[in-house]
Amino acid sequence: MEAVANTKPPVFVTVSALDAGHLTLPEHLFITDADPEKCNTVPSLSFLIQHPSPSPSRPSSNVTNLVFDLGIKRDLDRYTPAQQEHTAQRQPVITEPDCAASLRYGAAKEEGVTGEEVLLDPGKDVDIAVISHVHWDHVGTPSDFSGATFAVGSGTLDLLKNGAGHLYPAELFNDDELPADRTVEFPPVPGSSEYAEAASDIPKNTAAAPDTQARLPRSADRWSWQPLGGFPHAIDFFGDGSVYVVDSPGHLYGHVNLLARIGDRKYVYLGGDCCHDTRILSGETGIAMYGDGKGGLRSVHVDTNAARRTLDRIKSFVTEKNEVEVEVVLAHDAGWRAGNRHRFWPGKL
């Protein structure tokens, strides 16, 4: 993992999991050889990443707070009508605690062992929100994060406004989902051809508005996609090897993952929706295919082949002989959530 090497002293971050709602997934839409009647209620996880640097939006703080994904909106009525039709097919949907409540009160709130003391105020204390992709169960309630700058994959703003082809019409998204004056896209991925199955529908990159109020790390003016291990495209978010944004094509346009360095030889890979079941990542099962309504087949991914390539890269990255430990955490892993409650905020991974 040569790109992680740095002559300066290593910089570590802390990562805490956050409950951000639950939804119910029918197995046959996600994995091969599934029981057609089986459904699983799973979390939509968010994560708090704390970086030891002066906050770009709170000068008095020596910690930058970054949240990865916002989960499910606590008010389902705030989804578009087309989105609400989709949420109706994912019942039960559990909206509490959402990402904001988890930041305020932590995981112990559910056991009733805390008072009303606020641990982190999402409107005042969160500096940056990185959204893996803009499906309804990851966008949460951005208005809760009134002081944060939002960072999203290239093409995301175009996707929110115009949709992308018949499988992803505009009505499946909220045009004003993200604050225009505080949202930036990562640079376009050079020479990207991962979405060959839907090349004509690929959303275009949107440059940040000249009057944007976005506050980013000092390294932002040097952001560029560089190889990292087996990943062809990654961005050193803080410029110190502590957090990498990894281009993770396949699931939805602009889909990104995060790699966080939490120890000298220990990393956490936040995989978003690279897949929806750990058995796919382990190779025990495959990605389910089903009818696309036009006589063909599709999966839950916009480009299934690209999604498979991303999974292959993740598996290779985790197992390569680089003398580091990499833990992969998926957004909808109910088993991981059940076995790691002590690692939810204010606990740490």
Side-chain angles (χ1 to χ4, degrees):
M1 199 161 62
E2 293 82 2
V4 176
N6 196 311
T7 56
K8 297 180 180 180
V11 176
F12 308 137
V13 296
T14 63
V15 180
S16 302
L18 300 165
D19 272 322
H22 288 69
L23 70 162
T24 302
L25 304 179
E27 276 199 355
H28 72 275
L29 294 181
F30 296 89
I31 64 170
T32 54
D33 303 318
D35 179 343
E37 302 300 323
K38 186 174 182 180
C39 294
N40 299 309
T41 299
V42 300
S44 191
L45 296 173
S46 298
F47 299 88
L48 170 66
I49 299 174
Q50 297 187 294
H51 183 272
S53 62
S55 163
S57 56
R58 298 172 294 113
S60 61
S61 174
N62 60 1
V63 174
T64 295
N65 292 321
L66 182 157
V67 172
F68 181 61
D69 274 347
L70 302 184
I72 297 172
K73 295 184 188 300
R74 63 178 170 275
D75 183 357
L76 297 181
D77 290 339
R78 296 185 66 177
Y79 288 111
T80 68
Q83 288 173 325
Q84 290 183 43
E85 290 181 16
H86 189 74
T87 63
Q89 300 171 30
R90 297 289 179 261
Q91 296 294 329
V93 173
I94 301 167
T95 61
E96 291 289 348
D98 66 350
C99 183
S102 291
L103 285 166
R104 289 189 183 100
Y105 304 118
K109 179 71 172 178
E110 65 189 37
E111 282 84 34
V113 298
T114 62
E116 294 299 317
E117 179 184 357
V118 173
L119 301 176
L120 274 182
D121 185 325
K124 297 178 180 179
D125 298 328
V126 173
D127 304 295
I128 300 166
V130 177
I131 310 298
S132 66
H133 66 294
V134 288
H135 275 150
W136 67 277
D137 54 323
H138 292 260
V139 295
T141 308
S143 58
D144 288 337
F145 300 84
S146 54
T149 292
F150 289 76
V152 293
S154 180
T156 295
L157 297 178
D158 185 11
L159 176 64
L160 288 174
K161 183 177 182 179
N162 300 308
H166 75 280
L167 293 178
Y168 299 94
E171 55 264 30
L172 283 179
F173 304 96
N174 273 321
D175 182 14
D176 60 353
E177 189 75 75
L178 301 176
D181 62 341
R182 290 183 285 116
T183 299
V184 297
E185 291 190 355
F186 295 115
V189 179
S192 177
S193 58
E194 294 282 14
Y195 291 109
E197 293 178 19
S200 62
D201 299 324
I202 298 176
K204 304 297 187 292
N205 179 266
T206 300
D211 58 347
T212 181
Q213 301 174 27
R215 297 180 182 179
L216 296 165
R218 294 177 180 177
S219 59
D221 59 355
R222 303 188 303 276
W223 280 352
S224 65
W225 297 105
Q226 302 293 331
L228 174 68
F231 298 113
H233 301 111
I235 289 175
D236 188 348
F237 191 85
F238 289 102
D240 56 16
S242 63
V243 176
Y244 288 92
V245 178
V246 180
D247 177 49
S248 310
H251 181 58
L252 185 67
Y253 304 107
H255 187 249
V256 296
N257 293 168
L258 287 192
L259 177 69
R261 188 175 191 180
I262 61 173
D264 188 35
R265 297 183 181 276
K266 191 170 184 179
Y267 293 79
V268 174
Y269 187 94
L270 304 178
D273 277 3
C274 65
C275 65
H276 295 71
D277 193 299
T278 56
R279 290 171 291 181
I280 299 175
L281 190 61
S282 68
E284 297 174 59
T285 187
I287 298 171
M289 304 296 293
Y290 52 91
D292 65 359
K294 291 183 173 292
L297 291 175
R298 64 159 301 185
S299 74
V300 295
H301 305 291
V302 66
D303 188 322
T304 309
N305 288 328
R308 292 191 181 107
R309 289 191 291 271
T310 291
L311 287 172
D312 288 342
R313 289 166 182 156
I314 295 171
K315 287 186 281 189
S316 296
F317 185 77
V318 170
T319 58
E320 70 177 4
K321 295 180 180 179
N322 51 30
E323 298 182 350
V324 299
E325 176 187 347
V326 182
E327 179 180 12
V328 178
V329 187
L330 306 176
H332 302 302
D333 189 347
W336 187 93
R337 178 187 182 274
N340 290 275
R341 294 304 291 160
H342 61 291
R343 303 168 86 188
F344 279 65
W345 173 247
K348 298 176 177 61
L349 273 68

